[in-house]
Each structure stands twice: as structure tokens, then as C-alpha cells.
Amino acid sequence: MSVIAEFTIPTEEFALSATFDAIPNLAVEIERMVAHPASRVLPYIWVCGGAAAAVEKELRADPTTVSVTKLTEIPYGSLYRIEWADETKSTVEDVLESDPVILTGTAAKQGWDFQMRFEHRDHISKLQADLTHHDVTIELKRLHTPETPTVDGQFLLTVKQRAALNAALDAGYFEVPRTTNLSELAEQLDISQQALSKRLRRAHRTVSRHILTTGPDEIVGDDRLD
């Protein structure tokens, strides 16, 4: 029976760590594609956050990339074709060796987050062993068996929504008490307060729906008051 695994790999052990250091609010999303031999190296990524020229400069200078080609630029981000350096390419091959289905693949400064469907649970154990053998850390966050069909992209945040959430988390917008406000965040992202508020509300709705429909009803042993 197939199983869905959600896991994180640190940027410094995978890809684009230097780029994220230079542009902390950057958000990256893997462009999913029809199965093809070339797709095994995850060549296409959407990038949002930071000035376009600065992003492209940092991507080209990043030691985990060999070549960077901008394919498309739209108001909220750009699509790039990346040829990865050998070490990164080797890690990608480890991740994709058992031909999992990539449901989501995103990255921020904190790490690369993947949600993948594997045909067998044993494939996940092999993935962990292969990455550990190559000194790559994998944090397995969740394993679950899909009880209903997964609609492609049903629970994905848009690149703009993810960038807004990352910026809000990093700046302490969700802390109690808050260490920033909507106005400061909007200025940081160079958008209006109204646009930022709309992105955060839609992101909250998407994440909440995903958690409430796929997660456990309660956390065993959870003694939090709020």
C-alpha cells in the first residue's frame, strides 16, 4: 500500500544555502512535470522574493548550481531551469531513486520541504539510509496512508502566499506579543497592506483545511492550554 511521507532536508546539505543566506525571504517551489528522464534532476523551480536581478545573480553564484536560465518572469516570481552541481544532483537521485510521486516540493531558508507518495514503506527506509550514508540529514515529519484521492495542488500554497507566511513567521508576526505589524511586513515585501492581508488569510485557510482534513484529531499527551 502506498504511503505519503513529509520530510525536510536542510538547505546547507542540499541546495541554494548561499542564495537563501543572501536573500532570507526567498521562497522556492519545484515545478512538477510529467514523468521524463530529465525531470529526475528537478530542473525547474519557481522563485519568489527579492529583486529579480539580485535573485538571478545569487542563483548563478551559488556553488550548488552549474547553470541558471530564466524561462519566465511574472509579477510574483520567476521560473528558472537549473543544472545542479554533482553533489546536489547525487542527493536528488537518492531522493528519487524509488520513483516517488512528488506532491509538493518547496524551500525556504529553514530547509527543503517535500511531500511524496511512495509505493512501499520500505522505500522510505532506504531513502533515509541512502541520505545518511552521504551525510545528508533527513527529518521525517509525518507518514500517513492516503484515505482519499489527493487532488493535484489541492493543498499547495501559491509562491506569493508562501513568501508572505515565511516573512511573517521570521519577523514574529504570529508571536505573542507581535514583534512586527502588517504595515512593516507589507513594506518589507513591497506590497500593499490589503494584498498582504488577503495572502495571509488565504494561506491560513489552505493550511488549516489541510491540517484538519488530513491530520489526527488530537495530539496524544498534549497539555497545552491554548
Side-chain angles (χ1 to χ4, degrees):
M1 180 179 293
S2 69
V3 61
I4 293 177
E6 299 175 15
F7 59 91
T8 298
I9 300 176
T11 54
E12 61 268 20
E13 297 178 21
F14 188 28
L16 303 184
S17 177
T19 301
F20 283 113
D21 284 343
I23 310 175
N25 292 325
L26 200 69
V28 172
E29 182 171 345
I30 292 171
E31 172 81 350
R32 290 166 297 160
M33 56 188 357
V34 176
H36 183 277
S39 70
R40 290 189 58 83
V41 292
L42 306 179
Y44 300 107
I45 60 172
W46 282 98
V47 178
C48 175
V55 169
E56 189 163 341
K57 176 184 175 183
E58 295 300 333
L59 286 174
R60 293 183 184 280
D62 196 292
T64 61
T65 69
V66 173
S67 70
V68 175
T69 305
K70 182 187 288 185
L71 301 178
T72 302
E73 184 174 353
I74 52 182
Y76 60 83
S78 299
L79 176 65
Y80 291 92
R81 183 175 65 239
I82 305 288
E83 181 182 348
W84 299 108
D86 287 344
E87 187 173 352
T88 300
K89 195 179 298 183
S90 176
T91 302
V92 172
E93 289 171 351
D94 282 342
V95 171
L96 302 181
E97 183 177 357
S98 61
D99 290 324
V101 176
I102 302 176
L103 301 177
T104 65
T106 59
K109 184 174 174 59
Q110 298 86 344
W112 286 79
D113 295 318
F114 292 98
Q115 184 184 63
M116 296 186 181
R117 180 187 287 113
F118 294 83
E119 287 189 8
H120 305 288
R121 192 176 291 259
D122 290 347
H123 291 166
I124 301 169
S125 299
K126 186 178 186 308
L127 168 62
Q128 291 176 292
D130 288 345
L131 290 179
T132 300
H133 178 72
H134 289 106
D135 297 321
V136 176
T137 305
I138 175 172
E139 180 186 356
L140 188 59
K141 294 185 172 180
R142 186 166 179 246
L143 281 177
H144 63 99
T145 302
E147 297 178 353
T148 57
T150 302
V151 178
D152 184 44
Q154 179 180 1
F155 303 120
L156 280 177
L157 297 175
T158 67
V159 175
K160 291 186 290 185
Q161 290 167 2
R162 179 173 290 276
L165 271 182
N166 278 329
L169 284 168
D170 290 343
Y173 182 75
F174 299 112
E175 299 296 327
V176 180
R178 286 176 174 169
T179 56
T180 190
N181 56 46
L182 200 65
S183 175
E184 292 172 344
L185 270 179
E187 183 177 355
Q188 178 182 331
L189 294 170
D190 195 25
I191 59 177
S192 69
Q193 292 187 48
Q194 182 180 6
L196 176 58
S197 177
K198 184 182 296 184
R199 289 180 195 178
L200 290 176
R201 288 199 308 272
R202 289 177 174 173
H204 289 162
R205 182 180 60 204
T206 300
V207 172
S208 298
R209 182 181 293 121
H210 178 45
I211 292 172
L212 292 174
T213 57
T214 65
D217 292 335
E218 61 181 14
I219 302 174
V220 177
D222 185 8
D223 57 356
R224 291 173 295 181
L225 295 178
D226 295 322

